[in-house]
Amino acid sequence: MGLIQEISGPLSQQLSQLSIVSQVGVVVAGFLLVSVFFNVLQQILFKNPNEPPLVFHWFPVIGSTITYGMDPPRFFKENRDKYGDIFTFVLLGKKTTVYVGPAGNDFILNGKLKDVNAEEIYTVLTTPVFGKDVVYDCPNSKLMEQKKFMKIALTTQAFQSYVPIIADEVTNYFKRSPDFKSKSGVVNISKSMAQITIFTASHSLQGAEIRNKFDESLADLYHDLDMGFSPVNFMLHWAPLPWNKRRDHAQQTIAKIYMDTIKERRAAGKSDSQDIMWHLMNSTYKNGVKIPDHEVAHMMIALLMAGQHSSSSTSSWIMLRLASRPDIHEALYREQVENLGADLPPLTYEDLSKLPLNQAIIKETLRLHAPIHSILRAVKSPMPVPGTKYVVPTSHNLLAAAGVSATDPSYFPEPDLWEPTRWNKDSPLAPRLVSSVEDEEKIDYGYGLVSKGANSPYLPFGAGRHRCIGEQFANVQLQTIVAMVVRQFKLRNVDGSNKVIGTDYASLFSRPLEPANIFWEKREQ
Ligand code: HEM
């Protein structure tokens, strides 16, 4: 009897707990069903004819976040086919209007300052990583001045000094790296390219002192800082989570390393280097204020981070593409032998312009693998869309996806084919561009003249006031890296096929899925 009581006591407790759980389950399921019902009803009954069509979705708040996040380019193309060039979808509860094609790129990227705003969206992610008072933690007019300072530093003379630095870094990397010790092997190329990018960028843009620190403390700190850029931080940037604590510690430590280096340079009195740090240390804002040291330090972090992801994913894609097309890889080698001499003398900045195929490799890879698939802007005043009845309201964000026109068959014949020779004017696959870059309208947003890109279906470096100032540097860096790899190695896919690995969209940048293994073999010297 006693035993039965002992058993039935906890059993009845368990049963009543179970019934509470199932009741809660029923309530939650009911709530979900009701919210799905009203969400669907709202989409069917309350269509606003003056707003772009809304992508159908079952769940409120989640909206199309998952289908978009899994493969943004596919999401854009499928919905363009369904709704046209302009449509709205729900991204984490926010109505986000996508406008693809050259007109859409122009509408968003060349939008007026009173209409569109970048910093409101990006600051939560970037300010804890870069630091205060720079880029998106200051008024746009200040960012334009900061971009001008950075751009002015990137002169032809600077590039002339960078090419030998980058070439040497690449050569030394392959000599040092345990992954390239033997005559041939298989390597996860994304890992190598990430390292080569940081060594080459830090040495050329930031000087030897900073570069040397990447062999010691900086690499780990940089990694911790980088974790601040995970997309989840759009929502959890403030949370006292382990990776945010490491991000904040890394930001403070790296900023201090830069500030100490600035002080040392000042104390030494002069520098003959062509790096950006030296230039920023000696620049003055229009209002007469010299750039404070902490801003120089934060701009240095911003430059390194801005360039790192885009250039390292691009160079990885290039190597993967070359491994899938050994014929192009060998054509690149022949191009150097024919145009620079069979002894392949040390590479110079001037040499790069003698290697058109080497240049086209970068262009074509960025056409198919632009690292930034989505550019977001907050809408600040209602924006009528020319030629339509739509007005984009201030409750929406805008999203530009220049990659869509870069893979549109109306501009690029056989758009999915990676074919660098299409950039030869007489190629049957040559792009059908609306106008040439030279004919484009030029505009100065405060950081020098840039082409508006209003008619261009190919904008891997963006357009408008937020356009990339690192384009030329990235080209010099990437062309040098490719030329040096081609000199030293033959590449092919591990299975000898011409397949190329898929894209990882889990981070903010479109990079190759890992491990991105390729087979390499050293050339006979
Ligand atoms: C902006 C692409 C390399 C520094 C941008 C934007 C794009 C872009 C699309 C516009 C973002 C927007 O409108 O919101 C690329 C690609 C690169 C590359 C494809 C390499 C293949 C670099 C490098 C640097 C750099 C190497 C630094 C040396 C910047 C800066 C901005 C920018 C400072 C301005 C951000 C703004 O005004 O809001 N880049 N970038 N980029 N990029 Fe790059």
Side-chain angles (χ1 to χ4, degrees):
M1 185 66 181
L3 185 67
I4 293 173
Q5 261 178 353
E6 265 176 43
I7 294 171
S8 69
L11 193 69
S12 68
Q13 257 176 21
Q14 279 175 1
L15 282 175
S16 78
Q17 277 170 0
L18 208 67
S19 101
I20 292 173
V21 170
S22 62
Q23 278 170 22
V24 171
V26 170
V27 172
V28 171
F31 176 76
L32 265 179
L33 264 178
V34 171
S35 57
V36 166
F37 176 74
F38 280 109
N39 184 45
V40 171
L41 206 65
Q42 201 184 24
Q43 291 175 69
I44 296 169
L45 295 183
F46 302 107
K47 282 189 185 148
N48 183 341
N50 295 321
E51 284 184 14
L54 183 65
V55 174
F56 179 80
H57 55 280
W58 291 101
F59 298 97
V61 184
I62 296 175
S64 309
T65 308
I66 296 172
T67 28
Y68 161 74
M70 275 163 46
D71 190 339
R74 186 178 345 146
F75 177 81
F76 298 139
K77 284 181 191 163
E78 282 177 2
N79 287 300
R80 179 196 53 185
D81 294 347
K82 252 189 234 162
Y83 302 101
D85 281 354
I86 180 162
F87 54 87
T88 298
F89 74 102
V90 174
L91 175 62
L92 293 172
K94 184 80 184 172
K95 282 193 175 165
T96 304
T97 296
V98 181
Y99 189 0
V100 297
N105 298 335
D106 185 36
F107 181 75
I108 300 172
L109 302 178
N110 287 310
K112 293 200 177 73
L113 198 54
K114 72 169 183 45
D115 293 334
V116 290
N117 177 297
E119 54 269 31
E120 229 170 73
I121 294 190
Y122 295 131
T123 189
V124 292
L125 214 65
T126 54
T127 303
V129 173
F130 300 163
K132 291 249 148 242
D133 300 325
V134 302
V135 191
Y136 303 126
D137 189 49
C138 61
N140 185 269
S141 54
K142 187 167 174 180
L143 169 61
M144 294 302 111
E145 276 201 78
Q146 292 176 344
K147 285 177 74 171
K148 185 180 72 187
F149 297 140
M150 300 178 200
K151 203 175 156 191
I152 290 175
L154 298 170
T155 57
T156 304
Q157 204 190 352
F159 291 141
Q160 283 165 338
S161 73
Y162 292 172
V163 171
I165 292 177
I166 297 170
D168 283 354
E169 280 288 352
V170 177
T171 309
N172 292 336
Y173 176 85
F174 289 123
K175 276 191 195 144
R176 266 193 339 257
S177 168
D179 291 338
F180 293 91
K181 275 280 169 269
S182 45
K183 281 189 174 164
S184 63
V186 173
V187 70
N188 174 4
I189 200 64
S190 295
K191 198 176 124 245
S192 309
M193 285 300 138
Q195 289 171 336
I196 288 180
T197 309
I198 201 109
F199 294 148
T200 53
S202 61
H203 195 164
S204 53
L205 292 175
Q206 316 215 327
E209 308 103 304
I210 298 293
R211 157 65 185 97
N212 292 337
K213 293 193 172 114
F214 268 98
D215 287 332
E216 307 146 20
S217 51
L218 259 179
D220 290 341
L221 285 168
Y222 174 83
H223 178 260
D224 288 347
L225 195 58
D226 198 29
M227 292 307 285
F229 265 160
S230 36
V232 62
N233 262 15
F234 269 120
M235 297 174 84
L236 294 179
H237 52 95
W238 52 272
L241 294 161
W243 70 83
N244 284 344
K245 286 186 184 158
R246 285 200 296 272
R247 169 199 66 190
D248 295 343
H249 170 257
Q251 197 284 330
Q252 283 151 16
T253 318
I254 297 179
K256 185 165 183 312
I257 291 175
Y258 281 122
M259 284 194 279
D260 290 346
T261 311
I262 294 169
K263 281 201 194 82
E264 282 160 23
R265 283 185 169 198
R266 282 231 172 79
K270 71 177 183 69
S271 164
D272 51 5
S273 61
Q274 291 284 346
D275 61 54
I276 292 199
M277 183 193 280
W278 184 247
H279 183 83
L280 292 177
M281 282 166 58
N282 296 298
S283 298
T284 308
Y285 287 115
K286 271 192 241 152
N287 63 6
V289 175
K290 289 202 86 171
I291 305 184
D293 287 0
H294 78 277
E295 289 187 16
V296 176
H298 297 170
M299 275 190 251
M300 301 304 287
I301 298 177
L303 275 175
L304 207 59
M305 303 295 286
Q308 176 61 22
H309 288 283
S310 25
S311 292
S312 92
S313 90
T314 307
S315 56
S316 306
W317 282 119
I318 293 173
M319 298 308 152
L320 289 163
R321 286 289 178 178
L322 290 177
S324 77
R325 288 285 302 274
D327 58 320
I328 302 271
H329 190 82
E330 284 319 288
L332 282 171
Y333 185 71
R334 282 197 306 277
E335 182 179 67
Q336 287 199 52
V337 170
E338 280 158 23
N339 297 340
L340 307 181
D343 57 334
L344 295 178
L347 200 67
T348 66
Y349 175 66
E350 286 68 25
D351 289 341
L352 298 178
S353 59
K354 299 176 196 154
L355 305 173
L357 184 60
N358 202 54
Q359 292 172 358
I361 297 288
I362 321 290
K363 251 186 145 172
E364 181 66 347
T365 305
L366 282 174
R367 187 180 69 76
L368 286 181
H369 302 287
I372 301 176
H373 54 72
S374 304
I375 295 181
L376 285 160
R377 299 285 184 262
V379 180
K380 301 309 291 174
S381 49
M383 293 176 68
V385 182
T388 73
K389 56 186 188 308
Y390 303 139
V391 178
V392 185
T394 53
S395 54
H396 287 204
N397 282 340
L398 279 168
L399 189 156
V404 174
S405 47
T407 50
D408 186 332
S410 22
Y411 305 110
F412 295 94
E414 294 194 51
D416 299 329
L417 185 68
W418 181 81
E419 187 47 75
T421 56
R422 76 165 70 237
W423 294 94
N424 297 342
K425 275 200 194 85
D426 31 349
S427 159
L429 297 179
R432 297 182 194 126
L433 299 180
V434 187
S435 64
S436 74
V437 179
E438 294 75 36
D439 299 341
E440 283 273 346
E441 188 188 337
K442 298 256 189 323
I443 187 160
D444 187 350
Y445 290 100
Y447 63 94
L449 274 181
V450 289
S451 71
K452 265 187 99 174
N455 296 315
S456 176
Y458 177 78
L459 295 173
F461 293 97
R465 61 182 59 248
H466 292 284
R467 192 187 196 290
C468 188
I469 48 101
E471 174 176 358
Q472 279 176 298
F473 173 78
N475 272 316
V476 167
Q477 183 189 26
L478 291 167
Q479 286 173 32
T480 308
I481 293 173
V482 175
M484 296 309 291
V485 169
V486 164
R487 282 181 180 200
Q488 296 177 45
F489 297 101
K490 293 181 178 181
L491 305 178
R492 65 170 164 78
N493 271 340
V494 179
D495 63 1
S497 74
N498 57 4
K499 280 191 249 138
V500 172
I501 203 163
T503 306
D504 177 3
Y505 296 109
S507 81
L508 295 173
F509 299 85
S510 320
R511 53 187 181 207
L513 285 164
E514 286 199 42
N517 287 340
I518 60 172
F519 176 85
W520 56 268
E521 186 185 350
K522 283 183 187 155
R523 287 188 192 278
E524 301 285 323
Q525 288 304 313

